[in-house]
Amino acid sequence: MFKIFKRIMDTLLALIGLIVLSPVFLVLIILIKLDSRGPILFKQKRVGKNKKHFNILKFRTMRIDTPKDTPTHMLENPEQWITKLGKFMRKTSLDELPQIINILKGDMSIVGPRPALWNQFDLIEERDKYGANDIYPGLTGYAQIKGRDELEIVDKAKLDGYYVSHMGLWLDIKVFFGTIFSVLKSDGVVEGGTGTKVKREKKEKKVE
C-alpha cells in the first residue's frame, strides 16, 4: 500500500517541483551554455529497479572530453574535468535537478538508494545482499544524509539496506529534510572522495 502511495506522491511532488523550479532550470541552462562547450544535459546509464538500466539526467558539470562511464572517485585528479560552474552545481546538488524528469517518467523515486552506474559492480553486488536493487532508486537516499561521498561502498550498501527494511512515510520525510540540511551545509561532498570518512578516521587514530 505504501509503495502505491509513494509513487503517487513522487509524481505529484515532481510535477510541482518542475513548475516551481522552472526559473532555476532556465537560469542554469543559460549559464551552462555560457560556461563551457557541450550539451546542457548529461545522460548516463544507471541501474534502476530490479537492475533494469535507464538513462539518468543531470545538468552537465564536466568537460565533454571526460572519460565516459567512470565513477568520479576512479578518475585521476577529478577536479581537472569539472567545469567552473560545475563545481558550484555539484556542491549545491543543482546538477541533480533534471532527475525530476526521471521521477515523472517512472525511472526513479524522490527517496531511495542513489542509482549506481551500470559498471559499479562492487556496489551493485553489495546492494544485492540487502534487496536495495529491488526498489526504485532515488533522487536522494538514506546514505546521502549519513556521509554521501565519504562513505565506503560496503557502508553505503548497508545504509541502503536499512532504508529498504525500514521504508515508510516517516523515514522518507526524515531523508527529504535531512537532504536539504546536508545540501545547505555541503555535508559529505568530496570529489573522488569515496571512503574518505574511513580514511580520515584512521588517520586521526594514528595521530592519537
Side-chain angles (χ1 to χ4, degrees):
M1 189 67 179
F2 173 70
K3 290 182 179 180
I4 296 173
F5 171 77
K6 182 177 173 68
R7 180 61 200 150
I8 293 171
M9 290 305 299
D10 281 340
T11 303
L12 288 175
L13 291 174
L15 188 59
I16 292 170
L18 192 61
I19 294 170
V20 172
L21 295 171
S22 56
V24 178
F25 272 71
L26 182 59
V27 171
L28 289 175
I29 287 169
I30 294 171
L31 292 177
I32 290 168
K33 293 305 291 183
L34 291 175
D35 181 59
S36 63
R37 185 168 57 91
I40 294 165
L41 292 178
F42 170 69
K43 296 180 181 180
Q44 191 176 58
K45 188 162 68 172
R46 296 285 181 119
V47 179
K49 183 181 179 182
N50 298 321
K51 293 191 277 193
K52 181 181 178 182
H53 292 163
F54 72 98
N55 287 320
I56 199 172
L57 299 175
K58 291 188 176 188
F59 281 127
R60 183 177 57 81
T61 60
M62 306 186 88
R63 290 163 26 192
I64 57 175
D65 58 338
T66 303
K68 292 183 180 180
D69 291 332
T70 304
T72 306
H73 71 275
M74 293 184 70
L75 289 171
E76 186 175 346
N77 186 18
E79 293 280 353
Q80 70 175 315
W81 303 105
I82 303 172
T83 65
K84 292 179 181 178
L85 178 63
K87 290 179 182 179
F88 170 74
M89 286 197 293
R90 290 165 78 96
K91 188 175 182 180
T92 56
S93 295
L94 288 171
D95 61 314
E96 310 284 1
L97 288 181
Q99 285 157 52
I100 291 175
I101 299 170
N102 284 119
I103 295 171
L104 289 172
K105 287 175 62 182
D107 297 325
M108 296 174 62
S109 181
I110 291 175
V111 179
R114 282 296 296 161
L117 269 167
W118 68 272
N119 58 356
Q120 279 185 291
F121 304 116
D122 51 351
L123 177 57
I124 297 167
E125 185 178 353
E126 282 296 320
R127 282 178 169 174
D128 269 336
K129 298 176 183 178
Y130 306 102
N133 292 314
D134 301 333
I135 64 173
Y136 286 107
L139 177 63
T140 186
Y142 190 61
Q144 277 54 57
I145 63 171
K146 293 292 183 178
R148 194 173 173 174
D149 296 335
E150 294 185 323
L151 295 170
E152 293 266 0
I153 293 295
V154 173
D155 296 324
K156 276 185 182 180
K158 285 181 180 177
L159 290 167
D160 291 332
Y162 177 90
Y163 175 78
V164 172
S165 59
H166 294 80
M167 193 163 52
L169 180 59
W170 168 242
L171 184 56
D172 275 18
I173 291 172
K174 180 180 178 180
V175 171
F176 181 82
F177 286 102
T179 299
I180 293 174
F181 291 126
S182 293
V183 168
L184 291 175
K185 295 189 295 181
S186 296
D187 279 353
V189 181
V190 183
E191 296 301 343
T194 295
T196 51
K197 185 176 182 179
V198 173
K199 292 172 187 174
R200 185 176 63 248
E201 288 173 350
K202 286 180 178 178
K203 187 176 181 181
E204 288 173 350
K205 284 182 180 179
K206 285 182 179 180
V207 173
E208 290 174 0

